Amino acid sequence: MNESATAELSPPGSGFSRLLTRWGLPAPLFLGYVGLLLFMIGDGVESGFIAPYMADNGAGTEIKASYVITVYGVAVMLASWLSGALSELWGPRRVMLIGLAIWLVFDVLFLILGLAGGNYPAMLICYGLRGFGYPMFAFGFLVWITAVAPVARLGAAVGWFYFAFTGGLPTLGALVASFTNPLVGHYGTLWVSVVLLGIGGLVAVLGVRQRTGYRRLAPPEVKPVQSLVSSVSIAWRKPRVGIGMVVRVINTAPEFGMLVFFPTIFISQIGFGESRWLLLVSVIYGTNIFFNLIFGVLSDRIGWRTTIFWFGAIGCALSILLLYFVPIAMGAQYYWLALIVGALYGATLAGFVPISALLPSLAPEHKGGAMALLNLGAGAAAFVGPAIVSLFLGPAGAAGVVIIFAALYLVAAVLVRFLKLPEETEQAIAADGSLQEVGQKVSTT
């Protein structure tokens, strides 16, 4: 972190700013976090019902609706990568502005041309292109955070990011929908989301005055093509960063995937109905937002890898199985059990939060490229999850898809063991050398 950024993040004079700094939230970025929360509430309003709603309003079937979401996921994946690389070249704030504009323009077109007209090709195009919006806004802000937050408090600062991110998508977004759907209907609710997202976007880009995000982060000699190539080539130049990207994909791929087919199962097959399903979604991610903070702070103390391995990967492998099989086995009359296992999944999902602090620390001299790959992994999850559903829901059924998701979390647990920080590797080599010396001395005596 450069000196000017350090000066801007030094504890400000007001008691509120000092309190934020003590909690690990960079005080100059506070309005960015607030704006991000509102932005993601707007983005998350649709999360509990958009797939079946598209199926009934132009897509025709849930499978065709899942294709729309898969196209959207491809756009999210590309935009997530670009958000890191372009933030290095143009500055995070400019990337956030572009993302905000893309989302607003193409969502309005999706609502008018796609849903209102029942036009499936318009849905594919407009909803798909809209996918470039939120990653550029949200992950552009994440690059801003990692560029200025002190390394010792980076886990907490990232935890606050995911507090705001998942606080909106889908936690409070689904809660808003549970109130607005009965009042203005699903279509009216989607227009409410446009208003909320627009307000949040303006709060963030106009309210944050911390200057690091206003300017280019890459050195002056770095050219655009060079920056984009470097943000990909780091995966094989620094293999641990590539492995970390795969872990980031696995982190939320099941989350995006389950939102494609869980609504129909929980609403109709189990019999919860839409309001109780939306409440369950709010409980899952309401728990998640608080544990994002808890694990963000805890990981700075017990270690980032330890937190990801036990609370994230192993925890999610168990909890996602419980989230599906317990309600299926017990039925609608045991709704309270569904709330408990839902909260457990939300809590363990937060165990992956330190990956956003760990990955740039694996390549401290190439933080921009590492962040680009991290964001690519986050975006790829929005594609991989629905894609797994599209491929395996037919042949394997819902239970088979859930088991695949659990197996992916176990793969993540294995991969996390390779994500040692440079200093950890040096310590291990030094320790091994010391043991060899001791062994040699013992053998000569």
Side-chain angles (χ1 to χ4, degrees):
M1 188 170 66
N2 59 47
E3 293 181 8
S4 60
T6 304
E8 289 181 79
L9 285 170
S10 59
S14 73
F16 180 64
S17 295
R18 287 196 298 271
L19 181 63
L20 293 177
T21 303
R22 196 177 309 126
W23 287 349
L25 190 156
L29 301 182
F30 174 68
L31 286 178
Y33 285 96
V34 173
L36 176 68
L37 175 62
L38 291 172
F39 183 99
M40 299 313 298
I41 289 174
D43 193 277
V45 159
E46 67 182 38
S47 58
F49 67 86
I50 191 62
Y53 185 68
M54 283 194 293
D56 294 337
N57 291 272
T61 66
E62 279 199 18
I63 296 296
K64 290 182 72 176
S66 75
Y67 294 156
V68 177
I69 296 174
T70 301
V71 171
Y72 170 84
V74 173
V76 168
M77 177 176 64
L78 293 173
S80 299
W81 164 58
L82 288 172
S83 67
L86 294 180
S87 292
E88 286 277 295
L89 293 171
W90 297 343
R93 184 177 183 271
R94 185 177 175 187
V95 173
M96 292 171 69
L97 274 168
I98 294 171
L100 174 61
I102 289 173
W103 201 100
L104 291 175
V105 169
F106 286 104
D107 193 58
V108 169
L109 292 175
F110 166 70
L111 294 177
I112 295 174
L113 301 179
L115 289 179
N119 188 325
Y120 183 66
M123 286 185 192
L124 276 171
I125 295 169
C126 297
Y127 195 83
L129 290 174
R130 197 198 79 173
F132 283 94
Y134 100 72
M136 296 187 77
F137 182 89
F139 297 131
F141 184 58
L142 181 59
V143 173
W144 200 340
I145 292 169
T146 57
V148 299
V151 174
R153 305 304 302 275
L154 187 54
V158 168
W160 280 107
F161 170 84
Y162 283 106
F163 177 89
F165 187 97
T166 57
L169 175 67
T171 315
L172 294 178
L175 190 61
V176 168
S178 70
F179 289 107
T180 57
N181 281 345
L183 295 175
V184 298
H186 293 86
Y187 188 69
T189 293
L190 293 173
W191 280 106
V192 170
S193 75
V194 175
V195 175
L196 288 172
L197 185 141
I199 293 172
L202 292 175
V203 167
V205 297
L206 299 180
V208 178
R209 299 297 180 182
Q210 202 280 332
R211 304 306 297 182
T212 301
Y214 281 63
R215 56 182 178 260
R216 173 189 177 103
L217 302 179
E221 66 274 8
V222 175
K223 305 299 184 215
V225 174
Q226 179 187 354
S227 177
L228 293 173
V229 171
S230 176
S231 66
V232 175
S233 64
I234 192 175
W236 55 84
R237 288 187 289 113
K238 299 281 186 179
R240 286 177 297 179
V241 175
I243 293 172
M245 183 197 72
V246 175
V247 173
R248 181 63 185 88
V249 173
I250 295 172
N251 172 194
T252 48
E255 172 191 351
F256 286 106
M258 76 181 195
L259 289 174
V260 174
F261 69 105
F262 270 27
T264 300
I265 292 171
F266 281 74
I267 292 170
S268 303
Q269 183 177 333
I270 299 175
F272 285 164
E274 184 181 79
S275 61
R276 288 203 293 175
W277 158 247
L278 291 175
L279 179 59
L280 174 60
V281 171
S282 296
V283 167
I284 291 172
Y285 295 102
T287 306
N288 176 256
I289 63 175
F290 289 105
F291 274 88
N292 284 335
L293 291 180
I294 291 170
F295 287 132
V297 174
L298 181 65
S299 68
D300 285 333
R301 298 183 180 181
I302 68 172
W304 297 333
R305 280 197 311 132
T306 300
T307 303
I308 297 167
F309 178 83
W310 288 109
F311 296 104
I314 299 298
C316 282
L318 296 172
S319 62
I320 197 169
L321 293 173
L322 294 174
L323 176 60
Y324 175 79
F325 286 105
V326 168
I328 284 287
M330 303 306 294
Q333 64 270 31
Y334 287 93
Y335 179 66
W336 59 273
L337 268 180
L339 294 177
I340 291 174
V341 294
L344 178 62
Y345 178 65
T348 54
L349 193 62
F352 282 95
V353 158
I355 193 70
S356 296
L358 178 59
L359 222 63
S361 301
L362 289 171
E365 70 283 12
H366 299 289
K367 280 191 175 183
M371 286 304 301
L373 273 191
L374 174 72
N375 294 343
L376 176 61
F383 162 72
V384 171
I388 290 173
V389 176
S390 298
L391 290 172
F392 294 103
L393 185 59
V401 172
V402 172
I403 291 170
I404 290 171
F405 287 156
L408 283 176
Y409 282 125
L410 293 179
V411 171
V414 174
L415 295 178
V416 167
R417 309 310 293 175
F418 296 96
L419 301 183
K420 292 183 178 179
L421 291 169
E423 57 268 26
E424 291 179 306
T425 304
E426 291 173 5
Q427 290 169 1
I429 292 172
D432 183 60
S434 298
L435 287 173
Q436 288 182 8
E437 281 186 30
V438 171
Q440 290 171 356
K441 290 180 180 178
V442 170
S443 64
T444 57
T445 57

